[in-house]
Amino acid sequence: MSDPIVAAYKSTPLKAQVERYSPVPLAPAPSVGRRLVLSFAPPLILGILIVAAYALIRADLPAHRQFLMPSAEGLWSQAFGIAAFRSELLMRALTTISIAITGLAVSIPVGIMLGIVMFRVYALEKAVFPYLVALQSIPIMAIIPLIQSALGFGFLPKVLIVALFTFFAIPTTLLLGLKSVDRNILELFKLQNASWWVMLRKAALPSAAPTLFAGLRISGSLAVIAAIVSELFFLSGKGGLGQLLMNAKIDFKYEQMYAALIVASALSITVYLSFNWLGNRLFAHWHELSDRQR
């Protein structure tokens, strides 16, 4: 006796069979306008809400305290609208970003090498990881006086503080990515008698790259903050935005202080977006990204 399902299928017209069992087509790619709206509309709306909340809080302050929260007109007339201050702001921003980038240039290669070594030697991972957690748990501001005593007040201690701030996320995210590699891929390399370095270069590192760049984005955004924090404690020498913040607060120039805060935030966002763009540029075609399908 024939299977009733097969019999029903054979009795169905060929056109109906094709329509019923043909693959479902993929959804069309979103238009350029839709992508632009999805990219810029949410942060723009949230920014408008933040500005509105700022204006409401400022309006609720007594008149003699409203100088603590400058208006947009005050920011322009007392800060951004002054050519000499714009030049000073630019020079100090360059100083801060140079400290941040130099600190990242130290923490990134050291963190990557440590993550690879911990992945290779399990006993070393167990030995080092608790100290990484302890390093992250210790308030950096508490050990800044020790750094001052050992290294003085120049450029090097500021770079070291940035490196300490940004170091933890790099080896931990890389190690997580390396340990998440598909075991079937590693077994395939072993069947081909590939060395450990070949497996690392051609399988483990490419698979761990998105996770690593997530850590780099975190470290990049923290680098500018760490540079400003270091300048708040090392007021001697050529100062950046942190020193400008302190001087403006002492002189009650709150418009200039807020201008420095805005520029510092813009620098931090720029570094974050740079790592985000670089990671997508290098590795987006290796991995399916959910936001591409929206």
Side-chain angles (χ1 to χ4, degrees):
M1 181 180 294
S2 61
D3 192 340
I5 297 178
V6 176
Y9 175 78
K10 290 181 178 179
S11 62
T12 306
L14 180 60
K15 181 179 179 181
Q17 294 178 15
V18 173
E19 292 176 351
R20 182 176 179 181
Y21 295 100
S22 60
V24 178
L26 294 175
S31 63
V32 176
R34 176 179 170 80
R35 290 200 299 268
L36 290 176
V37 169
L38 291 176
S39 298
F40 294 102
L44 181 61
I45 294 173
L46 182 59
I48 292 173
L49 293 176
I50 292 174
V51 171
Y54 178 90
L56 290 175
I57 295 173
R58 183 178 186 276
D60 194 49
L61 289 176
H64 66 281
R65 297 188 60 194
Q66 288 187 355
F67 74 95
L68 297 172
M69 299 181 67
S71 62
E73 180 183 359
L75 283 174
W76 175 254
S77 62
Q78 301 297 324
F80 289 113
I82 303 175
F85 180 74
R86 288 201 303 269
S87 300
E88 181 184 6
L89 195 60
L90 176 61
M91 296 304 298
R92 291 184 180 272
L94 291 176
T95 301
T96 297
I97 198 65
S98 65
I99 296 172
I101 291 177
T102 307
L104 285 174
V106 174
S107 63
I108 289 176
V110 175
I112 290 175
M113 291 302 299
L114 181 61
I116 293 174
V117 172
M118 288 194 298
F119 176 65
R120 183 69 177 93
V121 184
Y122 180 75
L124 187 62
E125 175 193 348
K126 290 297 182 182
V128 173
F129 200 84
Y131 291 97
L132 285 177
V133 176
L135 179 64
Q136 180 68 14
S137 304
I138 297 175
I140 301 299
M141 279 76 77
I143 63 175
I144 285 180
L146 301 177
I147 297 175
Q148 289 177 338
S149 301
L151 301 177
F153 296 85
F155 185 78
L156 180 59
K158 299 177 184 177
V159 171
L160 179 59
I161 292 172
V162 174
L164 291 175
F165 258 92
T166 59
F167 180 74
F168 177 77
I170 299 170
T172 52
T173 54
L174 177 58
L175 182 62
L176 175 63
L178 292 173
K179 295 174 71 173
S180 302
V181 180
D182 190 347
R183 295 299 171 186
N184 294 325
I185 296 178
L186 297 180
E187 293 298 331
L188 180 61
F189 274 83
K190 291 178 181 179
L191 289 175
Q192 299 296 325
N193 293 323
S195 65
W196 185 86
W197 287 107
V198 172
M199 289 190 291
L200 176 70
R201 182 168 56 88
K202 294 188 175 182
L205 284 179
S207 296
T211 309
L212 172 62
F213 268 85
L216 292 179
R217 288 195 293 269
I218 296 172
S219 297
S221 60
L222 288 175
V224 176
I225 300 173
I228 292 175
V229 169
S230 69
E231 293 171 1
L232 294 177
F233 285 86
F234 298 90
L235 296 178
S236 61
K238 185 179 179 181
L241 293 174
Q243 193 175 100
L244 179 61
L245 284 168
M246 184 63 67
N247 293 338
K249 181 182 178 182
I250 293 174
D251 296 336
F252 292 96
K253 297 179 179 179
Y254 283 88
E255 291 83 4
Q256 296 184 5
M257 187 181 74
Y258 274 73
L261 286 173
I262 293 172
V263 173
S265 300
L267 286 179
S268 183
I269 293 172
T270 300
V271 174
Y272 175 88
L273 293 178
S274 298
F275 279 110
N276 188 54
W277 174 84
L278 183 61
N280 290 336
R281 185 75 175 176
L282 294 177
F283 305 109
H285 62 287
W286 292 1
H287 299 267
E288 293 292 336
L289 299 179
S290 58
D291 57 354
R292 282 184 162 187
Q293 302 173 1
R294 294 178 184 175

